[in-house]
Amino acid sequence: LSSMAGVGLMERSTSYKDKIEKGLKPHMGLFSYPILMAADILLYGSEIVPVGKDQKQHLELTRDIAKSFNHNYGDTFIIPESKIDKNVQTIPGTDGRKMSKTYDNTIDIFADEKSLKKQIMTIVTDSKGLEDKKNPDSCNVFNIFKLIASESETEKMRKKYIEGGYGYGHAKTHLLNYILELYRDERKLFSELLKNQDHLYRILEKGEKKAKIIARKVLDRVRSKLGY
């Protein structure tokens, strides 16, 4: 990408514009994120990239960069394909916006129970009371719950919302308990790994070696095409 064309392309990024419109100050990390994402994808020869709907444009940018380089210098990069799960195209955060660390609205399933509960209890809801009937589809708690719950469990909660007598506090507690049970084994493994960091670093080093071999082959192809 030429410098001016590259800047123009970054400024048109929907993710970048969305964050700026929501009051985030522009900075180089935010501005160049799509290029860094493209580098991570192309460097390791990725063929299929699972992304959310909001990241599709970034994947298209990656494909454009790879196609442009291949067109000018010959077959070098693999052209990756995106894979978007229609059921979880965008995950809602605790405030109803897209879940993102940038917005500080995430739910960390590996956090200790006290911290996890605090995150869940901050989920934004409307002011309807305990006895009021509620619309589950407009509720942040329900929309997060249905992403991880079974169909039968989702319908049970939906029914409680519609019938009334079911408060948002009940729903949040249900979500907390469901996460604790659903990810019980994963949370246990996560905790054990943190307590045995020597073992964890050995795993990371093994992965690093594999990644370096792949990256080196890609970089060698690039350098060869560029003549150095």
Side-chain angles (χ1 to χ4, degrees):
L1 295 176
S2 68
S3 58
M4 291 305 295
V7 169
L9 190 61
M10 292 300 93
E11 289 178 334
R12 293 195 298 273
S13 168
T14 55
S15 178
Y16 175 78
K17 290 193 295 184
D18 177 65
K19 288 181 172 60
I20 297 303
E21 288 172 0
K22 290 179 178 176
L24 290 177
K25 292 183 178 180
H27 54 80
M28 194 58 193
L30 180 64
F31 190 68
S32 63
Y33 171 72
I35 298 298
L36 295 175
M37 180 177 172
D40 283 339
I41 293 170
L42 298 177
L43 182 60
Y44 299 102
S46 305
E47 298 177 358
I48 304 295
V49 185
V51 293
K53 183 179 179 181
D54 61 308
Q55 297 290 314
K56 184 178 180 181
Q57 187 189 42
H58 293 172
L59 204 285
E60 290 302 320
L61 172 62
T62 301
R63 288 169 53 84
D64 288 344
I65 292 172
K67 287 178 181 179
S68 178
F69 192 96
N70 289 354
H71 175 75
N72 288 305
Y73 298 101
D75 191 24
T76 307
F77 293 116
I78 293 174
I79 310 299
E81 299 286 343
S82 63
K83 182 177 181 181
I84 302 175
D85 188 333
K86 293 182 179 180
N87 295 318
V88 289
Q89 293 189 48
T90 302
I91 298 177
T94 56
D95 58 0
R97 293 184 293 177
K98 182 193 76 169
M99 186 176 286
S100 170
K101 289 183 178 179
T102 303
Y103 299 144
D104 192 25
N105 65 353
T106 60
I107 294 177
D108 181 3
I109 63 171
F110 295 113
D112 62 83
E113 187 172 338
K114 182 178 179 181
S115 298
L116 179 60
K117 180 178 180 180
K118 183 178 180 180
Q119 291 172 352
I120 291 174
M121 291 304 168
T122 63
I123 297 176
V124 177
T125 58
D126 60 35
S127 58
K128 288 184 178 179
L130 174 64
E131 298 303 326
D132 294 330
K133 296 180 180 180
K134 302 171 181 65
N135 180 3
D137 296 318
S138 63
C139 176
N140 296 326
V141 184
F142 181 81
N143 286 328
I144 294 172
F145 179 78
K146 72 180 182 180
L147 292 176
I148 61 173
S150 65
E151 186 175 341
S152 62
E153 288 292 330
T154 300
E155 288 308 309
K156 286 180 183 178
M157 182 179 279
R158 178 185 293 278
K159 186 177 180 181
K160 291 178 180 178
Y161 268 74
I162 295 173
E163 290 179 345
Y166 185 70
Y168 292 123
H170 294 134
K172 291 177 180 180
T173 299
H174 191 169
L175 174 60
L176 170 63
N177 292 333
Y178 199 88
I179 289 176
L180 291 174
E181 178 59 28
L182 180 64
Y183 299 108
R184 179 179 55 187
D185 292 342
E186 290 82 358
R187 286 170 57 83
K188 180 180 178 182
L189 177 59
F190 181 82
S191 178
E192 291 173 350
L193 287 173
L194 286 183
K195 293 175 182 176
N196 188 0
Q197 294 200 10
D198 287 342
H199 175 62
L200 181 59
Y201 283 120
R202 284 195 295 271
I203 294 174
L204 292 174
E205 287 171 358
K206 185 176 180 181
E208 179 186 15
K209 289 178 181 178
K210 288 183 178 180
K212 278 185 175 180
I213 292 173
I214 297 171
R216 176 55 57 189
K217 290 180 180 179
V218 174
L219 285 173
D220 285 348
R221 288 203 304 269
V222 172
R223 289 193 174 101
S224 176
K225 295 293 183 179
L226 295 176
Y228 70 91

